[in-house]
Amino acid sequence: MPQVHSGKGPEVVPRLGKNTLENIVSLGELCPWGDCFARLGADTPAALHEALLEGVNYGFISVDLEGRIAFFNRAAQAMLGYSAEEVVGQHSPLLFHEPEEIRQVAERLSQELGRPVDPDMGIFAAREALGRVTEEEYTYIRKDGTRFPVLLSVMALWGGEGEQRQVVGYLGVVADITERRKAEEKLRLSNEVFENSPEAIMITDAENRIVTVNPAFTRITGYDPEDVTGENPRILSSGHHDGSFYQQMWQSLGSEGVWQGEIWDRRKNGEVYPKWATINVLRDRRSNQVSHYLAMFSDISERKRAEETINFLAHHDPLTNLPNRFTLQARLQQALSDARRHETQVAVMFIDLDRFKVINDTLGHHVGDLLLIEVAKRISAAVRDTDTVARLGGDEFVVVLSGVTRAADAMQVAMKINRLVAKPFWVADQELHTEASIGISLFPADGDDVDALMKNADTAMYYAKAQGRGNFQFYAAEMNQSAVERLTLENRLRQALAKNEFELYYQPQVSLASGRIIGFEALIRWNHAEQGMISPGVFIPMAEDTGLILSIGEWVMRTACTEAQRWQEQGLPPLRVAVNLSVRQFRQKDLPQQVAGALAISGLDPALLELEITESAVMDSPEKAIELLKNFRSMGVSLAVDDFGTGYSSLSYLKLFPINRLKIDRSFVSDIGVDPNDTAISTATIALAHTLGLEVIAEGIENSTQLNYLRAEGCNEGQGYLFNRPMPAEEVLPFVREWENIVVGNPGPAAGTSGGEQRAAGA
Ligand code: C2E
Ligand code: MG
Ligand code: MG
């Protein structure tokens, strides 16, 4: 740029171009530095001029009155990519202005000035003519065609002396504002984020006074910006946290520059809520002093609630809302350590409901569930709030009593639970009855840890159950001994069939009208090599549990049919044989084939076979049962419902079952004349059976009061010790012969009675 180097001091030259530098420097109003040198009376050194014009980051572009470029400093060259030689003498607008933009500006200026402005030539002039040294943004185009934003200021250049003094050209000072634009854009984006962030943002100054907050802050806290600006964030606090909490927060801000955590604050409306907050320390870039604190937080009350629900579900039984096994173990653990410290005792109670399975199976799970909910309430009502009631699943509950001083404390609670659970429940529009069997273990006597106490309470509960319904039982060491015995017995049971240890006994069934024997019920006996006769009451449930019942049942069916057929072959009158089927056998798929097979192999007339099934077996899935029962009936086999009255029978189904007989359970018969309720049940059952066209047989008749009552009520048949105890197969023939003699020889209603009682005594 030769023009620049030609400077000779401050001298106003009326022509732009060669002497532009001097021209500018001489203009006091525009170039204060020139003025400052002039005032000192000093020459402005050429080098300084150069430094000023060429060293700055602003583009200096001067044009003459026609708009032709006269001067183009180094910064302008760098910005636009043209050398000074390339541009001097060119019209600046044509060279680096956006044509459309410049056209619009010219139009606007024309209007403002009231005269046409030539976009090619007069932009600088027109801008200046408005008399303002304003800055305006333009888009400039580099030599390579790329565009960038600039800020342009225009000023007039004066030349001449006195009267001659006039505008000789214009100077444009151009700043590349690309970076500023970027910064502005960034700022704009930050602002958008600030305004629209779903997280509350609060900025406080170094003294922790609130400087600004965003709309999310207002939404979450309820405070408008004007409520809080200038305040200490303390006004948000709920008093939920103590001094050490905040102390720790400040400590972390001091050492890490950041703090994160959960804070419980209070909304403007007073509501306390949890928020998750992140606080950052902002420091001044130069001095590194804390300038601000930036706090961002979100309302986590919803999430908290969800977490609490999940947490609750993980620790509670969803049906009853009681603590589950997991929580129980934790609470018991806690109770044990407390008890160790205070030298008190802890009682663990295992509670199992009697007859729950029957209710669940016959009335449906829905009813079963409702009953469990009610039972849970009653058990909870029997203990203190500080005690734990948990549900382990099914109908098993556990109660943990802490602070127990004597076993009698636990006993009282157990009795209360027994009493409350025994009261009738009104569930799903029906009255239900159940009872609780409770096993109790005590810490430290019966165990030192959770597992031992639970196991022993469980064992005691089995004993309580065995004692009869609605009982409780304390654990005793001997109980485990018998648990071992049970296991051994189970193992022996597996081998019993192979070892031929089973035998069928037969108990006569008598017509109450004629006194004649009409059949026998086959009852299995286990002749254990060491323990002698074992009652089916002991091993049948065991066989059910293990599945052994299926092969045992098959053996019973075959044996009963074969032996009954032998009596026929020995010339006895047609005698029915009744075979018991357990629930599990009843569900067995090939049961009809099994029965048909036993009949075929033995050659027994199907009319002489009766199957005894329980209420729960048929009521479990009545539709299926009806199919199966029809199948048996079509084979010619008759059917009886055993233990009638102990389960739940739906009368509407009972009508549909193709059965022949109801068997009144022993428990009702035994109370005839003793308990009016049970007497009524027997009477009602007889009436019901007859209404449905069924026969009734009463089991467990032990005395003549029962017999006479039943006969008077019209009960068809009877069975019981009064007639005879179950007997081995080989005794059947002589027994029937002798009975027939007595009855035939001494016919009449009382005949069976006297004969039976003698035999009962001897059986
Ligand atoms: P259940 O079918 O109700 O049989 C009647 C039970 O009452 C028999 O007990 C019988 O000995 C007993 N009993 C009869 N008369 C009297 C009496 O006057 N007083 C008293 N106190 N009891 C009397 P047992 O033989 O011990 O059988 C018990 C249960 O075992 C049976 O009840 C039946 O459910 C089951 N059971 C017996 N044998 C078999 C079998 O072969 N297969 C299956 N699945 N279960 C069997
Ligand atoms: Mg039976
Ligand atoms: Mg029975």
Side-chain angles (χ1 to χ4, degrees), residues 740-759:
E740 287 289 303
N741 276 338
I742 297 168
V743 175
V744 174
N746 182 16
T753 315
S754 57
E757 255 169 332
Q758 286 160 17
R759 277 172 191 84

Side-chain angles (χ1 to χ4, degrees), residues 541-573:
M542 213 179 259
E544 276 260 295
D545 285 351
T546 52
L548 288 167
I549 191 70
L550 300 183
S551 42
I552 295 175
E554 192 175 7
W555 177 86
V556 170
M557 190 68 65
R558 253 189 296 114
T559 312
C561 289
T562 307
E563 289 180 338
Q565 174 59 18
R566 190 171 310 137
W567 303 330
Q568 293 305 299
E569 287 159 7
Q570 287 167 341
L572 286 183

Side-chain angles (χ1 to χ4, degrees), residues 521 523 580 612 642-643 663 699:
E521 176 175 7
L523 294 160
N580 291 285
E612 289 193 4
D642 202 356
D643 305 339
K663 255 187 122 166
E699 66 181 3

Side-chain angles (χ1 to χ4, degrees), residues 11 64 155 255 267 277-278 383 442 502 650 694 717 732 749:
E11 172 195 356
D64 62 18
M155 55 205 93
S255 57
R267 295 190 225 273
T278 307
V383 303
L442 287 170
F502 291 121
S650 153
L694 306 175
E717 297 164 4
V732 169

Side-chain angles (χ1 to χ4, degrees), residues 189-206:
L189 287 175
S190 307
N191 201 47
E192 289 283 313
V193 171
F194 183 81
E195 290 294 319
N196 298 313
S197 155
E199 268 196 281
I201 302 175
M202 173 179 78
I203 299 173
T204 60
D205 63 15

Side-chain angles (χ1 to χ4, degrees), residues 676-724:
N677 276 336
D678 281 357
T679 310
I681 290 176
S682 301
T683 312
T685 305
I686 295 166
L688 170 74
H690 290 163
T691 313
L692 294 174
L694 306 175
E695 302 216 305
V696 197
I697 176 166
E699 66 181 3
I701 302 178
E702 293 183 353
N703 57 49
S704 42
T705 314
Q706 294 160 354
L707 173 67
N708 291 333
Y709 181 85
L710 289 162
R711 191 162 45 193
E713 291 297 319
C715 181
N716 307 81
E717 297 164 4
Q719 178 184 343
Y721 294 170
L722 177 63
F723 306 113
N724 215 88

